[in-house]
C-alpha cells in the first residue's frame, strides 16, 4: 500500500501534448500523448523490446538510448527558451514514493535484476542516464502503471475508482480518502489520494492461498523467491510456467505423451502464456491447434487426442484459477468502500491477460457476482479497457504537475 502523491482526478478537459515514458515488464514505450480536452486522446508511440542485457544490467542507459531515438525520429526538441522536454514516467515496479517525481525502488520483479538499484531513486538513476547520453528530457512525474491506468480511465470515465493491470504482472491502484491512509505522513490529510496497492505481493507469507506443488516449484526457482506469490498465480509472465510444471509432472507420472517430453518443454519458461490462450480457445474437433503447439512449437513426440484434451484441461484450470483470484482481489477492494458501490462506478483495466486471455473480462464479471451480488455487477459495475493507459496516464499526471508549476 503505497501513497502516490497523486491527488487530482482528471476532468477529461485537460489539453496539451506531453512526452510519456512507460517502462513495463516486457517493453519500453516512448509516447507523445495529445489530450484533446473532450475525454479523448491520441498518441504516437514507439515500442522497444527490453533486452535481456537491459533487464540484467544497463537498463538506465537503454532507456536513454530509446528516448534519444524517439526524439530524433520525431524531430522533438525543448520548447523555445527551455532546456528540457517535460516527461511523465510510468515505472511498473514497486517504488516507495518520496514525492511526485521521486521514489526509491523497493525491489525488482518480473525477471529484472539490474544491480545497484534497490533502495535508490529511480528518477535520479534515469535522469543521470539522460544527462550522460545528452537526452534533453526532464522527468516531472513518476507513477506506477496502475496509477496511469486509473488516470486514463478517469479521463474518459469520471466515475473511475480503480485501475488494474492484468498483464505480465498484476497490481491495482485506487482512490482513497487521505485520512484513511496510515502511511501518508504529510500534513495535509484532506481530500483523496491514489494508493498503489502492489497486490502482487499479497500473501507473501504464503499463509492464505492454496498453493499447489507447481506454484511452489515456480516460486522456489524464481529470482524473487518468496515474493510476489499472488502475482505468480495470476499474471502472464508466470501462468505458462505453472502450466509447464503441471504438464511435466503428468509426463513424469506417465500420464501424458507416454512419459516423453522434449528439450524445449524441459526448459523453464518455454511454455508461453500465449500458448495457454490458444490452447484454451481451440474448439476444433481434433484439437488441431493444441497439436500444432505441442508437436510443432514445443517439439513433443506425436500426441494422442486424450493427451491434447488433458493439456487443454490443465491450461483451462490454471487460467480459471487466475481469473477467479483476479476477481476476488478486485472485489475485495470495492467491498472495502461499500459507500462507493451505491453508485455506478468504473474500473479501468489494461494488460495482456485482460486483452488476450479467452473470456477473461466475461469471467471477471461473472465471478465478481459471487462477491458483489448480481444487482451491483449488472447495473453499476463497468469494466473498461484503458488501452495504453500507463503511457497516457503518465502524460495526464505530468500535465497536472506542469500546470501547478506554472
Ligand atoms: C508488478 C509490479 C507493480 C506493477 C505490476 C503490473 O506487480 O510490482 O508495480 O504495477 O507488476 O505491471
Amino acid at each position: 500500500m503505497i501513497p502516490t502523491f497523486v491527488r487530482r482526478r482528471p476532468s477529461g478537459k485537460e489539453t496539451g501534448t506531453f512526452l510519456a515514458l512507460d517502462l513495463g515488464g516486457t517493453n519500453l514505450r516512448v509516447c507523445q500523448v495529445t489530450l484533446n480536452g473532450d475525454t479523448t486522446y491520441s498518441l504516437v508511440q514507439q515500442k522497444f523490446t527490453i533486452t535481456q542485457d537491459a533487464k540484467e544490467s544497463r537498463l538506465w542507459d537503454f532507456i536513454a538510448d530509446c528516448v534519444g531515438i524517439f526524439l530524433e525520429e520525431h524531430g522533438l526538441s525543448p520548447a523555445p527558451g527551455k532546456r528540457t522536454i517535460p516527461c511523465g514516467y510510468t515505472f511498473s515496479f514497486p517504488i516507495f514514493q518520496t514525492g511526485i517525481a521521486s521514489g526509491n525502488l523497493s525491489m525488482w520483479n518480473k525477471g529484472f535484476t539490474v544491480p545497484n538499484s534497490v533502495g535508490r531513486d529511480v528518477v535520479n538513476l534515469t535522469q543521470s542516464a539522460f544527462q550522460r547520453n545528452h537526452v534533453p528530457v526532464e522527468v516531472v512525474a513518476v507513477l506506477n502503471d496502475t496509477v496511469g491506468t486509473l488516470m486514463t480511465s478517469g479521463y474518459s470515465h469520471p466515475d473511475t475508482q480503480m485501475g488494474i493491470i492484468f498483464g505480465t504482472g498484476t497490481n491495482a491502484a485506487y482512490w482513497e480518502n487521505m485520512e484513511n491512509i496510515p502511511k501518508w505522513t504529510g500534513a495535509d490529510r484532506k481530500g483523496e489520494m491514489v494508493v498503489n496497492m502492489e497486490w502482487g505481493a499479497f500473501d507473501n507469507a504464503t499463509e492464505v492461498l492454496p498453493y499447489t506443488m507447481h506454484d511452489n516449484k515456480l516460486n522456489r526457482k524464481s529470482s524473487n523467491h518468496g515474493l510476489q506469490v499472488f502475482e505468480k498465480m495470476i499474471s502472464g509472465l508466470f501462468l505458462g510456467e505453472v502450466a509447464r510444471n503441471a504438464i511435466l509432472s503428468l509426463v513424469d507420472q506417465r500420464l501424458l505423451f507416454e512419459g516423453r517430453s522434449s528439450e524445449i518443454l524441459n526448459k523453464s519458461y518455454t511454455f508461453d502464456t500465449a500458448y495457454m490462450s490458444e490452447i484454451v480457445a481451440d474448439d476444433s474437433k481434433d484439437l488441431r491447434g493444441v497439436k500444432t503447439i505441442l508437436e510443432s512449437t514445443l517439439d513433443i513426440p506425436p500426441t494422442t487426442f486424450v493427451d491434447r484434451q488433458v493439456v487443454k484441461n490443465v491450461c483451462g484450470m490454471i487460467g480459471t484459477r487466475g481469473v477467479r483470484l483476479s476477481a476476488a482481489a478486485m472485489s475485495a477492494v470495492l467491498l472495502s468502500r461499500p459507500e462507493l458501490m451505491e453508485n455506478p462506478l468504473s474500473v479501468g483495466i489494461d494488460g495482456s491477460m485482460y486483452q488476450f486471455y479467452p473470456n477473461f473480462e466475461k469471467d471477471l464479471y461473472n465471478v465478481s457476482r459471487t462477491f458483489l451480488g448480481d444487482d451491483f455487477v449488472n447495473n453499476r459495475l463497468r469494466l473498461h479497457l484503458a488501452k495504453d493507459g500507463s503511457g497516457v496516464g503518465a502524460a495526464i499526471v505530468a500535465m497536472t504537475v506542469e500546470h501547478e508549476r506554472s
Side-chain angles (χ1 to χ4, degrees):
M1 290 288 190
I2 303 175
T4 61
F5 292 77
V6 173
R7 303 179 193 193
R8 260 238 319 257
R9 287 190 186 235
S11 65
K13 297 201 178 84
E14 291 81 357
T15 51
T17 299
F18 290 86
L19 196 63
L21 250 187
D22 176 10
L23 179 74
T26 316
N27 299 305
L28 170 74
R29 289 183 309 160
V30 189
C31 328
Q32 197 187 13
V33 182
T34 303
L35 306 172
N36 299 323
D38 57 358
T39 76
T40 66
Y41 53 81
S42 58
L43 79 165
V44 181
Q45 61 167 320
Q46 210 166 336
K47 198 157 94 174
F48 302 86
T49 303
I50 304 169
T51 57
Q52 200 53 34
D53 179 39
K55 289 184 183 177
E56 288 169 4
S57 72
R58 60 177 304 274
L59 180 68
W60 315 109
D61 288 298
F62 171 83
I63 296 174
D65 289 348
C66 298
V67 176
I69 292 171
F70 184 84
L71 297 188
E72 203 173 308
E73 287 192 2
H74 294 83
L76 300 176
S77 53
K82 303 267 171 171
R83 291 174 54 195
T84 51
I85 307 174
C87 165
Y89 186 14
T90 302
F91 193 83
S92 309
F93 300 87
I95 56 175
F96 293 120
Q97 288 204 232
T98 46
I100 190 70
S102 54
N104 301 327
L105 182 68
S106 138
M107 60 160 181
W108 285 118
N109 52 39
K110 294 184 271 198
F112 282 58
T113 54
V114 186
N116 303 323
S117 323
V118 174
R120 296 178 65 188
D121 181 349
V122 297
V123 175
N124 254 335
L125 290 167
T126 311
Q127 201 65 60
S128 307
F130 287 162
Q131 267 141 18
R132 271 199 303 280
N133 293 280
H134 309 289
V135 175
V137 167
E138 186 196 353
V139 175
V140 298
V142 63
L143 52 145
N144 189 258
D145 51 353
T146 55
V147 181
T149 302
L150 175 64
M151 297 303 273
T152 305
S153 178
Y155 185 74
S156 306
H157 310 282
D159 64 355
T160 302
Q161 298 293 350
M162 244 186 121
I164 310 182
I165 299 285
F166 292 122
T168 307
T170 184
N171 186 17
Y174 76 108
W175 285 106
E176 181 59 274
N177 293 326
M178 269 154 69
E179 57 190 17
N180 295 335
I181 308 177
K183 284 186 187 161
W184 174 247
T185 50
D188 181 7
R189 299 192 68 83
K190 275 203 229 78
E192 295 178 300
M193 184 179 282
V194 175
V195 174
N196 165 16
M197 297 184 67
E198 288 295 331
W199 77 19
F202 174 69
D203 197 32
N204 274 352
T206 57
E207 282 168 349
V208 180
L209 298 170
Y211 303 93
T212 65
M213 60 187 193
H214 315 304
D215 299 309
N216 292 336
K217 184 168 167 196
L218 179 152
N219 188 13
R220 227 172 264 128
K221 287 174 80 175
S222 63
S223 58
N224 56 352
H225 174 214
L227 301 173
Q228 303 296 101
V229 292
F230 186 57
E231 179 163 80
K232 286 170 179 160
M233 293 170 107
I234 290 190
S235 69
L237 180 59
F238 303 105
L239 284 196
E241 182 65 1
V242 179
R244 192 186 71 92
N245 285 345
I247 290 168
L248 283 179
S249 128
L250 294 174
V251 169
D252 291 345
Q253 295 169 66
R254 298 191 147 266
L255 296 169
L256 262 182
F257 317 143
E258 291 182 342
R260 287 175 298 171
S261 176
S262 71
E263 262 184 51
I264 300 181
L265 191 66
N266 286 346
K267 269 213 208 106
S268 304
Y269 292 92
T270 49
F271 193 82
D272 208 287
T273 304
Y275 303 158
M276 272 178 77
S277 295
E278 276 183 57
I279 288 173
V280 171
D282 183 3
D283 284 329
S284 64
K285 238 172 80 199
D286 52 353
L287 296 178
R288 215 168 317 130
V290 183
K291 184 175 163 70
T292 308
I293 291 176
L294 294 177
E295 297 177 20
S296 308
T297 314
L298 298 170
D299 204 25
I300 291 164
T303 57
T304 64
F305 180 63
V306 174
D307 281 337
R308 303 199 283 272
Q309 275 181 313
V310 170
V311 168
K312 183 174 169 179
N313 281 342
V314 167
C315 292
M317 279 190 268
I318 292 166
T320 301
R321 182 184 69 160
V323 184
R324 288 184 179 162
L325 290 171
S326 302
M330 177 180 79
S331 303
V333 176
L334 299 179
L335 285 172
S336 76
R337 303 288 309 275
E339 73 283 5
L340 296 179
M341 292 174 57
E342 284 161 22
N343 298 312
L345 68 82
S346 292
V347 178
I349 312 181
D350 200 1
S352 48
M353 288 302 290
Y354 183 68
Q355 283 195 64
F356 306 123
Y357 193 83
N359 299 320
F360 194 93
E361 185 191 75
K362 189 172 119 251
D363 291 345
L364 205 56
Y365 271 117
N366 277 337
V367 180
S368 300
R369 285 173 212 285
T370 322
F371 306 114
L372 305 174
D374 284 342
D375 173 43
F376 174 72
V377 173
N378 293 344
N379 303 318
R380 297 192 291 286
L381 177 64
R382 296 286 167 264
L383 308 181
H384 301 282
L385 173 66
K387 192 149 170 44
D388 302 320
S390 29
V392 176
I396 296 173
V397 178
M399 195 219 67
T400 335
V401 171
E402 280 297 280
H403 278 200
E404 277 166 11
R405 269 184 179 185
S406 53

